[in-house]
Amino acid sequence: MAIEIPLPLTVVFAIMVLLVGRWLIGRIDFLARYSIPDPVVGGLIVAVMLTAVRVGTGAELSFDMGLQSPLLLIFFSTVGLGADVRTLGQGGRKLLLLLGAVVVALVLQNVVGVAIAIGLDLNPLMGILGGSATLAGGHGTGAAYGQVFGEVNGLQGAVEVAMACATFGLILGGVLGGPVAQWLIRRHRLQPGVQAPGLLGPGEVPRDERRALSPESLIETILILMFCMGVGTLLAEHLVIPGITLPTFVWCLLVGIVLRNALSLSGLYRIDGPTIELMGTVSLSLFLAMALMSLRLWELVNLALPILIILLAQALLAVLLVVFLTFNVMGRNYDAAVIAAGQCGFQLGATPTAIANMQAVTSRHGLSPMAFLLVPIIGAFLIDICNALVIQGFLALPWFGF
């Protein structure tokens, strides 16, 4: 029996998820110490409760997720509006280093997945589904490859396995990022660096002393965000780049960067920091709360033991890579530790999870503008291109029959 929850009550559930998560973090030292994000804590509790209701009564709550896409577009627009072109060059070399570490991670994810699948006498394609196709790729990429593997290779239950793996990864990505960063910070006694002017990120925008948060600033900021979303959506629908497909939220991010810097360099208008911070934080929190509270946890129960072994190995691999590879190549400093938390998020789950991980860490320890500059660029855009190339390279191997 399916019970449809209308949009207003879906928002009520999402806000309750955030309040419950914040309440628990304030009272459970472990959650606060290891910087577990509010939406992850509250969302998992609600998802477990709804799963118990489904198992016990057969009733399944179906939420109206009509706000999820706009919330994601708002959030990435705020990311763009927080990036100053005069300081983007500071991240050039580090961006290439992080991209290299991410490509290594994508390759190793599939090596581990395929090797374990072969060792456990599974179809090697199961290793791809338990690798970068669903973890770095998320539910969308996982569903696409699952459908192809099912239709072309006759792999039974491929789509269901892909969805379960992506769900598992989303949970782990939100749970592991904070503890990994906390361990690195404490072990190496790291401290935040000096705030670079103009290098801003959602949740990290310095207070703008020009004016306080007000109805006027809110209305003006909504105007700017709607412009970014509208133009970004039009570009995604009508601008074709041969060989490259950019998601709508990436276009919104790029429009935000252009608009922020055009206004700043011309002196026509100064982006209002506190309001951008508020809009970005609220939209991301609600987006993640909706995503996590609607997780179909019962799909994880259907994971066979071999697939579960692959996913646990992938979680261990992600932690080892960010600790011994990413942290070192990014400079072994506080920014590198925050980036490590972000990479746990997008390597196992999704970019919003990565940002939430970093927000949880920086709210406890201090700002990391470089992390908020690099991680969205990698996690929201470059990783998808690299992942597609890596997967196609693996599928060209003789084991797969493509």
Side-chain angles (χ1 to χ4, degrees):
M1 179 178 65
I3 302 175
E4 300 287 337
I5 304 298
L7 182 59
L9 290 181
T10 297
V11 176
V12 169
F13 267 92
I15 295 174
M16 290 301 297
V17 161
L18 297 176
L19 295 178
V20 169
R22 186 179 307 165
W23 184 84
L24 288 172
I25 289 173
R27 284 158 179 78
I28 301 176
D29 183 62
F30 171 83
L31 298 176
R33 183 186 308 124
Y34 291 101
S35 304
I36 308 298
D38 298 355
V40 174
V41 176
L44 289 181
I45 290 175
V46 172
V48 169
M49 292 173 59
L50 295 181
T51 300
V53 169
R54 183 181 186 274
V55 172
T57 66
E60 179 180 344
L61 269 64
S62 176
F63 295 102
D64 185 339
M65 292 298 176
L67 274 180
Q68 260 198 313
S69 179
L71 287 171
L72 189 65
L73 299 185
I74 289 173
F75 165 68
F76 277 102
S77 296
T78 65
V79 174
L81 291 169
D84 192 317
V85 71
R86 291 168 294 183
T87 53
L88 287 178
Q90 297 179 13
R93 178 176 174 274
K94 288 185 176 292
L95 180 66
L96 294 177
L97 290 173
L98 180 57
L99 180 60
V102 168
V103 171
V104 171
L106 293 174
V107 173
L108 290 180
Q109 273 188 328
N110 290 320
V111 168
V112 168
V114 171
I116 295 178
I118 293 175
L120 296 176
D121 200 27
L122 294 176
N123 190 316
L125 291 174
M126 284 294 186
I128 299 293
L129 290 181
S132 70
T134 60
L135 299 179
H139 287 80
T141 302
Y145 279 104
Q147 184 175 8
V148 171
F149 294 167
E151 294 176 353
V152 176
N153 299 81
L155 189 63
Q156 295 296 318
V159 174
E160 290 76 9
V161 169
M163 293 299 94
C165 289
T167 301
F168 190 88
L170 190 65
I171 295 171
L172 283 178
V175 170
L176 292 177
V180 167
Q182 180 67 25
W183 182 82
L184 289 170
I185 291 169
R186 294 181 64 182
R187 177 178 176 82
H188 299 282
R189 299 179 181 179
L190 305 175
Q191 297 293 331
V194 177
Q195 172 76 21
L199 198 54
L200 309 174
E204 294 202 319
V205 182
R207 286 292 171 184
D208 186 348
E209 300 299 335
R210 180 170 56 95
R211 61 180 178 180
L213 185 65
S214 65
E216 291 77 14
S217 67
L218 180 60
I219 290 173
E220 292 172 10
T221 300
I222 290 175
L223 170 65
I224 294 171
L225 290 172
M226 292 302 106
F227 178 84
C228 293
M229 293 169 61
V231 174
T233 301
L234 288 175
L235 290 173
E237 292 176 351
H238 300 291
L239 188 60
V240 178
I241 302 177
I244 300 177
T245 301
L246 293 181
T248 302
F249 63 81
V250 175
W251 283 113
C252 293
L253 183 149
L254 295 175
V255 172
I257 293 175
V258 172
L259 181 61
R260 154 65 190 258
N261 290 281
L263 293 174
S264 178
L265 295 174
S266 66
L268 294 176
Y269 181 79
R270 184 178 179 186
I271 299 294
D272 194 68
T275 312
I276 287 293
E277 175 185 1
L278 177 65
M279 297 294 288
T281 301
V282 169
S283 60
L284 176 64
S285 297
L286 287 174
F287 172 84
L288 280 177
M290 290 181 179
L292 290 167
M293 74 186 191
S294 60
L295 287 178
R296 302 168 65 87
L297 293 182
W298 54 88
E299 292 177 346
L300 299 182
V301 178
N302 298 326
L303 281 177
L305 181 60
I307 299 297
L308 186 59
I309 292 174
I310 292 175
L311 293 175
L312 292 176
Q314 296 288 13
L316 177 60
L317 172 67
V319 172
L320 293 176
L321 283 173
V322 299
V323 169
F324 294 105
L325 178 60
T326 301
F327 178 69
N328 285 290
V329 301
M330 297 308 295
R332 297 177 61 83
N333 54 20
Y334 176 73
D335 287 334
V338 178
I339 290 171
Q343 186 174 338
C344 281
F346 68 70
Q347 185 179 327
L348 292 172
T351 305
T353 307
I355 303 298
N357 286 347
M358 297 194 301
Q359 283 185 339
V361 174
T362 55
S363 66
R364 179 178 175 84
H365 296 283
L367 305 183
S368 176
M370 185 60 68
F372 278 91
L373 172 67
L374 299 181
V375 168
I377 296 175
I378 297 289
F381 169 41
L382 295 179
I383 193 173
D384 289 327
I385 298 175
C386 295
N387 194 23
L389 295 174
V390 168
I391 292 174
Q392 291 304 314
F394 271 83
L395 294 179
L397 297 174
W399 293 306
F400 300 99
F402 270 79

